[in-house]
mmCIF file of all heavy atoms in Angstrom:
data_model
loop_
_atom_site.group_PDB
_atom_site.id
_atom_site.type_symbol
_atom_site.label_atom_id
_atom_site.label_comp_id
_atom_site.label_asym_id
_atom_site.label_seq_id
_atom_site.Cartn_x
_atom_site.Cartn_y
_atom_site.Cartn_z
ATOM 1 N N GLY V 26 -4.777 5.573 -0.407
ATOM 2 C CA GLY V 26 -3.868 4.451 -0.473
ATOM 3 C C GLY V 26 -2.898 4.575 -1.618
ATOM 4 O O GLY V 26 -3.041 5.422 -2.505
ATOM 5 N N TRP V 27 -1.890 3.709 -1.566
ATOM 6 C CA TRP V 27 -0.939 3.554 -2.657
ATOM 7 C C TRP V 27 -1.051 2.127 -3.193
ATOM 8 O O TRP V 27 -1.116 1.171 -2.394
ATOM 9 C CB TRP V 27 0.492 3.812 -2.184
ATOM 10 C CG TRP V 27 0.816 5.247 -1.928
ATOM 11 C CD1 TRP V 27 0.827 5.871 -0.709
ATOM 12 C CD2 TRP V 27 1.182 6.232 -2.883
ATOM 13 N NE1 TRP V 27 1.164 7.191 -0.857
ATOM 14 C CE2 TRP V 27 1.390 7.435 -2.172
ATOM 15 C CE3 TRP V 27 1.348 6.228 -4.264
ATOM 16 C CZ2 TRP V 27 1.771 8.635 -2.811
ATOM 17 C CZ3 TRP V 27 1.718 7.414 -4.900
ATOM 18 C CH2 TRP V 27 1.925 8.589 -4.180
ATOM 19 N N PHE V 28 -1.085 2.023 -4.491
ATOM 20 C CA PHE V 28 -1.069 0.735 -5.170
ATOM 21 C C PHE V 28 0.094 0.771 -6.150
ATOM 22 O O PHE V 28 0.615 1.828 -6.476
ATOM 23 C CB PHE V 28 -2.377 0.487 -5.926
ATOM 24 C CG PHE V 28 -3.544 0.174 -5.025
ATOM 25 C CD1 PHE V 28 -4.147 1.146 -4.261
ATOM 26 C CD2 PHE V 28 -4.071 -1.100 -4.982
ATOM 27 C CE1 PHE V 28 -5.219 0.855 -3.440
ATOM 28 C CE2 PHE V 28 -5.151 -1.412 -4.164
ATOM 29 C CZ PHE V 28 -5.717 -0.439 -3.406
ATOM 30 N N ARG V 29 0.478 -0.393 -6.654
ATOM 31 C CA ARG V 29 1.528 -0.440 -7.685
ATOM 32 C C ARG V 29 1.216 -1.553 -8.673
ATOM 33 O O ARG V 29 0.553 -2.534 -8.343
ATOM 34 C CB ARG V 29 2.900 -0.641 -7.038
ATOM 35 C CG ARG V 29 3.107 -1.992 -6.355
ATOM 36 C CD ARG V 29 4.443 -2.005 -5.648
ATOM 37 N NE ARG V 29 4.701 -3.286 -5.001
ATOM 38 C CZ ARG V 29 5.745 -3.535 -4.229
ATOM 39 N NH1 ARG V 29 6.652 -2.581 -3.995
ATOM 40 N NH2 ARG V 29 5.911 -4.734 -3.691
ATOM 41 N N GLN V 30 1.746 -1.345 -9.877
ATOM 42 C CA GLN V 30 1.535 -2.338 -10.923
ATOM 43 C C GLN V 30 2.828 -2.520 -11.703
ATOM 44 O O GLN V 30 3.308 -1.584 -12.348
ATOM 45 C CB GLN V 30 0.404 -1.907 -11.856
ATOM 46 C CG GLN V 30 0.022 -2.969 -12.856
ATOM 47 C CD GLN V 30 -1.313 -2.669 -13.541
ATOM 48 O OE1 GLN V 30 -1.808 -1.533 -13.513
ATOM 49 N NE2 GLN V 30 -1.906 -3.680 -14.112
ATOM 50 N N ALA V 31 3.356 -3.724 -11.615
ATOM 51 C CA ALA V 31 4.551 -4.093 -12.379
ATOM 52 C C ALA V 31 4.131 -4.640 -13.736
ATOM 53 O O ALA V 31 2.988 -5.118 -13.884
ATOM 54 C CB ALA V 31 5.355 -5.124 -11.617
ATOM 55 N N PRO V 32 5.007 -4.614 -14.723
ATOM 56 C CA PRO V 32 4.657 -5.109 -16.060
ATOM 57 C C PRO V 32 4.156 -6.542 -16.010
ATOM 58 O O PRO V 32 4.796 -7.415 -15.386
ATOM 59 C CB PRO V 32 5.964 -4.990 -16.828
ATOM 60 C CG PRO V 32 6.706 -3.903 -16.146
ATOM 61 C CD PRO V 32 6.348 -4.032 -14.690
ATOM 62 N N GLY V 33 3.015 -6.778 -16.630
ATOM 63 C CA GLY V 33 2.472 -8.131 -16.688
ATOM 64 C C GLY V 33 1.817 -8.624 -15.417
ATOM 65 O O GLY V 33 1.434 -9.799 -15.343
ATOM 66 N N LYS V 34 1.695 -7.746 -14.434
ATOM 67 C CA LYS V 34 1.096 -8.166 -13.163
ATOM 68 C C LYS V 34 -0.129 -7.333 -12.845
ATOM 69 O O LYS V 34 -0.337 -6.261 -13.397
ATOM 70 C CB LYS V 34 2.130 -8.050 -12.030
ATOM 71 C CG LYS V 34 3.305 -9.000 -12.172
ATOM 72 C CD LYS V 34 4.147 -8.996 -10.916
ATOM 73 C CE LYS V 34 5.254 -10.024 -10.992
ATOM 74 N NZ LYS V 34 6.073 -10.050 -9.764
ATOM 75 N N GLU V 35 -0.916 -7.864 -11.894
ATOM 76 C CA GLU V 35 -2.086 -7.130 -11.435
ATOM 77 C C GLU V 35 -1.650 -5.945 -10.555
ATOM 78 O O GLU V 35 -0.588 -5.979 -9.924
ATOM 79 C CB GLU V 35 -2.958 -8.060 -10.599
ATOM 80 C CG GLU V 35 -3.574 -9.233 -11.368
ATOM 81 C CD GLU V 35 -4.762 -8.788 -12.180
ATOM 82 O OE1 GLU V 35 -5.527 -7.932 -11.709
ATOM 83 O OE2 GLU V 35 -4.906 -9.296 -13.314
ATOM 84 N N ARG V 36 -2.512 -4.941 -10.504
ATOM 85 C CA ARG V 36 -2.273 -3.823 -9.604
ATOM 86 C C ARG V 36 -2.468 -4.340 -8.177
ATOM 87 O O ARG V 36 -3.490 -4.949 -7.857
ATOM 88 C CB ARG V 36 -3.229 -2.679 -9.908
ATOM 89 C CG ARG V 36 -2.877 -1.384 -9.201
ATOM 90 C CD ARG V 36 -3.733 -0.239 -9.688
ATOM 91 N NE ARG V 36 -3.568 0.003 -11.136
ATOM 92 C CZ ARG V 36 -4.109 1.047 -11.767
ATOM 93 N NH1 ARG V 36 -4.806 1.946 -11.092
ATOM 94 N NH2 ARG V 36 -3.916 1.203 -13.053
ATOM 95 N N GLU V 37 -1.473 -4.041 -7.322
ATOM 96 C CA GLU V 37 -1.528 -4.570 -5.951
ATOM 97 C C GLU V 37 -1.459 -3.466 -4.915
ATOM 98 O O GLU V 37 -0.879 -2.412 -5.147
ATOM 99 C CB GLU V 37 -0.377 -5.554 -5.702
ATOM 100 C CG GLU V 37 0.996 -4.929 -5.763
ATOM 101 C CD GLU V 37 2.100 -5.926 -5.402
ATOM 102 O OE1 GLU V 37 1.815 -7.111 -5.169
ATOM 103 O OE2 GLU V 37 3.262 -5.491 -5.311
ATOM 104 N N PHE V 38 -2.056 -3.759 -3.805
ATOM 105 C CA PHE V 38 -2.101 -2.828 -2.674
ATOM 106 C C PHE V 38 -0.720 -2.693 -2.045
ATOM 107 O O PHE V 38 0.024 -3.684 -1.911
ATOM 108 C CB PHE V 38 -3.094 -3.351 -1.636
ATOM 109 C CG PHE V 38 -3.031 -2.659 -0.312
ATOM 110 C CD1 PHE V 38 -3.632 -1.428 -0.151
ATOM 111 C CD2 PHE V 38 -2.375 -3.229 0.760
ATOM 112 C CE1 PHE V 38 -3.599 -0.769 1.079
ATOM 113 C CE2 PHE V 38 -2.331 -2.595 1.991
ATOM 114 C CZ PHE V 38 -2.939 -1.361 2.123
ATOM 115 N N VAL V 39 -0.378 -1.472 -1.652
ATOM 116 C CA VAL V 39 0.878 -1.204 -0.990
ATOM 117 C C VAL V 39 0.648 -0.709 0.452
ATOM 118 O O VAL V 39 1.185 -1.266 1.405
ATOM 119 C CB VAL V 39 1.722 -0.163 -1.754
ATOM 120 C CG1 VAL V 39 2.980 0.234 -0.986
ATOM 121 C CG2 VAL V 39 2.072 -0.657 -3.138
ATOM 122 N N ALA V 40 -0.165 0.349 0.595
ATOM 123 C CA ALA V 40 -0.387 0.929 1.914
ATOM 124 C C ALA V 40 -1.617 1.812 1.871
ATOM 125 O O ALA V 40 -2.011 2.277 0.794
ATOM 126 C CB ALA V 40 0.810 1.751 2.375
ATOM 127 N N ARG V 41 -2.230 2.060 3.036
ATOM 128 C CA ARG V 41 -3.357 2.977 3.112
ATOM 129 C C ARG V 41 -3.289 3.748 4.418
ATOM 130 O O ARG V 41 -2.705 3.304 5.401
ATOM 131 C CB ARG V 41 -4.688 2.245 2.952
ATOM 132 C CG ARG V 41 -5.089 1.429 4.149
ATOM 133 C CD ARG V 41 -6.104 2.182 5.041
ATOM 134 N NE ARG V 41 -6.541 1.319 6.159
ATOM 135 C CZ ARG V 41 -6.267 1.524 7.419
ATOM 136 N NH1 ARG V 41 -5.566 2.589 7.790
ATOM 137 N NH2 ARG V 41 -6.685 0.686 8.350
ATOM 138 N N ILE V 42 -3.947 4.892 4.418
ATOM 139 C CA ILE V 42 -4.003 5.735 5.612
ATOM 140 C C ILE V 42 -5.385 6.343 5.709
ATOM 141 O O ILE V 42 -5.985 6.749 4.721
ATOM 142 C CB ILE V 42 -2.914 6.826 5.563
ATOM 143 C CG1 ILE V 42 -2.840 7.574 6.876
ATOM 144 C CG2 ILE V 42 -3.130 7.795 4.394
ATOM 145 C CD1 ILE V 42 -1.584 8.458 7.019
ATOM 146 N N ARG V 43 -5.916 6.363 6.885
ATOM 147 C CA ARG V 43 -7.181 7.077 7.151
ATOM 148 C C ARG V 43 -6.901 8.571 7.121
ATOM 149 O O ARG V 43 -5.941 9.020 7.725
ATOM 150 C CB ARG V 43 -7.717 6.698 8.507
ATOM 151 C CG ARG V 43 -8.073 5.227 8.624
ATOM 152 C CD ARG V 43 -9.506 5.001 8.375
ATOM 153 N NE ARG V 43 -9.920 3.657 8.779
ATOM 154 C CZ ARG V 43 -11.170 3.244 8.801
ATOM 155 N NH1 ARG V 43 -12.143 4.070 8.438
ATOM 156 N NH2 ARG V 43 -11.467 2.035 9.180
ATOM 157 N N TRP V 44 -7.721 9.323 6.431
ATOM 158 C CA TRP V 44 -7.496 10.748 6.302
ATOM 159 C C TRP V 44 -7.638 11.455 7.653
ATOM 160 O O TRP V 44 -6.925 12.392 7.962
ATOM 161 C CB TRP V 44 -8.426 11.355 5.269
ATOM 162 C CG TRP V 44 -7.874 12.574 4.603
ATOM 163 C CD1 TRP V 44 -8.421 13.810 4.628
ATOM 164 C CD2 TRP V 44 -6.671 12.679 3.849
ATOM 165 N NE1 TRP V 44 -7.628 14.685 3.921
ATOM 166 C CE2 TRP V 44 -6.542 14.015 3.449
ATOM 167 C CE3 TRP V 44 -5.685 11.759 3.503
ATOM 168 C CZ2 TRP V 44 -5.473 14.463 2.674
ATOM 169 C CZ3 TRP V 44 -4.602 12.216 2.740
ATOM 170 C CH2 TRP V 44 -4.518 13.544 2.339
ATOM 171 N N SER V 45 -8.619 11.011 8.447
ATOM 172 C CA SER V 45 -8.796 11.546 9.793
ATOM 173 C C SER V 45 -8.315 10.501 10.778
ATOM 174 O O SER V 45 -8.729 9.358 10.721
ATOM 175 C CB SER V 45 -10.280 11.849 10.036
ATOM 176 O OG SER V 45 -10.476 12.254 11.369
ATOM 177 N N GLY V 46 -7.396 10.871 11.629
ATOM 178 C CA GLY V 46 -6.867 9.909 12.585
ATOM 179 C C GLY V 46 -5.517 9.359 12.195
ATOM 180 O O GLY V 46 -4.631 9.173 13.046
ATOM 181 N N GLY V 47 -5.340 9.100 10.893
ATOM 182 C CA GLY V 47 -4.016 8.720 10.402
ATOM 183 C C GLY V 47 -3.598 7.280 10.605
ATOM 184 O O GLY V 47 -2.408 6.960 10.462
ATOM 185 N N SER V 48 -4.536 6.404 10.940
ATOM 186 C CA SER V 48 -4.118 5.010 11.088
ATOM 187 C C SER V 48 -3.643 4.438 9.754
ATOM 188 O O SER V 48 -4.159 4.805 8.695
ATOM 189 C CB SER V 48 -5.264 4.168 11.662
ATOM 190 O OG SER V 48 -6.309 4.060 10.733
ATOM 191 N N THR V 49 -2.655 3.566 9.810
ATOM 192 C CA THR V 49 -2.035 3.050 8.599
ATOM 193 C C THR V 49 -2.091 1.524 8.543
ATOM 194 O O THR V 49 -2.300 0.850 9.559
ATOM 195 C CB THR V 49 -0.558 3.494 8.536
ATOM 196 O OG1 THR V 49 0.117 3.013 9.719
ATOM 197 C CG2 THR V 49 -0.444 5.006 8.462
ATOM 198 N N TYR V 50 -1.909 1.028 7.328
ATOM 199 C CA TYR V 50 -1.893 -0.413 7.103
ATOM 200 C C TYR V 50 -1.013 -0.675 5.901
ATOM 201 O O TYR V 50 -1.091 0.079 4.933
ATOM 202 C CB TYR V 50 -3.304 -0.926 6.875
ATOM 203 C CG TYR V 50 -3.397 -2.427 6.735
ATOM 204 C CD1 TYR V 50 -3.311 -3.254 7.843
ATOM 205 C CD2 TYR V 50 -3.569 -3.021 5.489
ATOM 206 C CE1 TYR V 50 -3.401 -4.621 7.737
ATOM 207 C CE2 TYR V 50 -3.673 -4.381 5.362
ATOM 208 C CZ TYR V 50 -3.581 -5.193 6.475
ATOM 209 O OH TYR V 50 -3.658 -6.545 6.377
ATOM 210 N N TYR V 51 -0.189 -1.724 5.948
ATOM 211 C CA TYR V 51 0.779 -2.001 4.882
ATOM 212 C C TYR V 51 0.669 -3.427 4.365
ATOM 213 O O TYR V 51 0.330 -4.362 5.115
ATOM 214 C CB TYR V 51 2.195 -1.792 5.407
ATOM 215 C CG TYR V 51 2.511 -0.377 5.840
ATOM 216 C CD1 TYR V 51 2.273 0.029 7.148
ATOM 217 C CD2 TYR V 51 2.993 0.557 4.917
ATOM 218 C CE1 TYR V 51 2.539 1.327 7.541
ATOM 219 C CE2 TYR V 51 3.257 1.859 5.307
ATOM 220 C CZ TYR V 51 3.042 2.237 6.615
ATOM 221 O OH TYR V 51 3.310 3.530 7.004
ATOM 222 N N ALA V 52 1.037 -3.586 3.138
ATOM 223 C CA ALA V 52 1.239 -4.924 2.599
ATOM 224 C C ALA V 52 2.483 -5.508 3.249
ATOM 225 O O ALA V 52 3.438 -4.789 3.559
ATOM 226 C CB ALA V 52 1.416 -4.860 1.079
ATOM 227 N N ASP V 53 2.493 -6.826 3.420
ATOM 228 C CA ASP V 53 3.632 -7.469 4.082
ATOM 229 C C ASP V 53 4.935 -7.211 3.319
ATOM 230 O O ASP V 53 5.996 -7.115 3.937
ATOM 231 C CB ASP V 53 3.385 -8.973 4.166
ATOM 232 C CG ASP V 53 2.330 -9.315 5.221
ATOM 233 O OD1 ASP V 53 2.031 -8.462 6.091
ATOM 234 O OD2 ASP V 53 1.799 -10.448 5.180
ATOM 235 N N SER V 54 4.825 -7.094 2.014
ATOM 236 C CA SER V 54 6.022 -6.953 1.186
ATOM 237 C C SER V 54 6.763 -5.633 1.409
ATOM 238 O O SER V 54 7.931 -5.521 1.059
ATOM 239 C CB SER V 54 5.650 -7.086 -0.302
ATOM 240 O OG SER V 54 4.707 -6.118 -0.663
ATOM 241 N N VAL V 55 6.100 -4.648 1.964
ATOM 242 C CA VAL V 55 6.725 -3.333 2.157
ATOM 243 C C VAL V 55 6.815 -2.928 3.631
ATOM 244 O O VAL V 55 7.432 -1.901 3.943
ATOM 245 C CB VAL V 55 5.996 -2.220 1.379
ATOM 246 C CG1 VAL V 55 5.837 -2.600 -0.090
ATOM 247 C CG2 VAL V 55 4.626 -1.922 1.967
ATOM 248 N N LYS V 56 6.231 -3.712 4.502
ATOM 249 C CA LYS V 56 6.218 -3.376 5.922
ATOM 250 C C LYS V 56 7.629 -3.229 6.457
ATOM 251 O O LYS V 56 8.498 -4.085 6.191
ATOM 252 C CB LYS V 56 5.465 -4.468 6.673
ATOM 253 C CG LYS V 56 4.900 -4.050 8.014
ATOM 254 C CD LYS V 56 4.033 -5.158 8.603
ATOM 255 C CE LYS V 56 2.790 -5.412 7.773
ATOM 256 N NZ LYS V 56 1.921 -6.452 8.375
ATOM 257 N N GLY V 57 7.863 -2.154 7.180
ATOM 258 C CA GLY V 57 9.186 -1.909 7.740
ATOM 259 C C GLY V 57 10.115 -1.139 6.807
ATOM 260 O O GLY V 57 11.164 -0.657 7.218
ATOM 261 N N ARG V 58 9.753 -1.035 5.516
ATOM 262 C CA ARG V 58 10.568 -0.290 4.552
ATOM 263 C C ARG V 58 9.860 0.966 4.036
ATOM 264 O O ARG V 58 10.520 1.977 3.754
ATOM 265 C CB ARG V 58 10.908 -1.199 3.344
ATOM 266 C CG ARG V 58 11.670 -2.437 3.700
ATOM 267 C CD ARG V 58 12.139 -3.182 2.455
ATOM 268 N NE ARG V 58 11.021 -3.654 1.637
ATOM 269 C CZ ARG V 58 10.843 -3.307 0.346
ATOM 270 N NH1 ARG V 58 11.699 -2.510 -0.253
ATOM 271 N NH2 ARG V 58 9.809 -3.780 -0.324
ATOM 272 N N PHE V 59 8.557 0.900 3.893
ATOM 273 C CA PHE V 59 7.767 2.019 3.358
ATOM 274 C C PHE V 59 6.966 2.660 4.484
ATOM 275 O O PHE V 59 6.519 1.984 5.420
ATOM 276 C CB PHE V 59 6.796 1.552 2.292
ATOM 277 C CG PHE V 59 7.426 1.102 0.994
ATOM 278 C CD1 PHE V 59 8.797 0.906 0.855
ATOM 279 C CD2 PHE V 59 6.632 0.850 -0.123
ATOM 280 C CE1 PHE V 59 9.362 0.500 -0.326
ATOM 281 C CE2 PHE V 59 7.172 0.449 -1.313
ATOM 282 C CZ PHE V 59 8.551 0.263 -1.407
#
């Protein structure tokens, strides 16, 4: 997965992928862009 952390904020989830099969899942904030 990818996570991100902005200054003064908690580390948040961005996206994840299954290593086998490749299914993906995204945070709403990045869906359609990442």
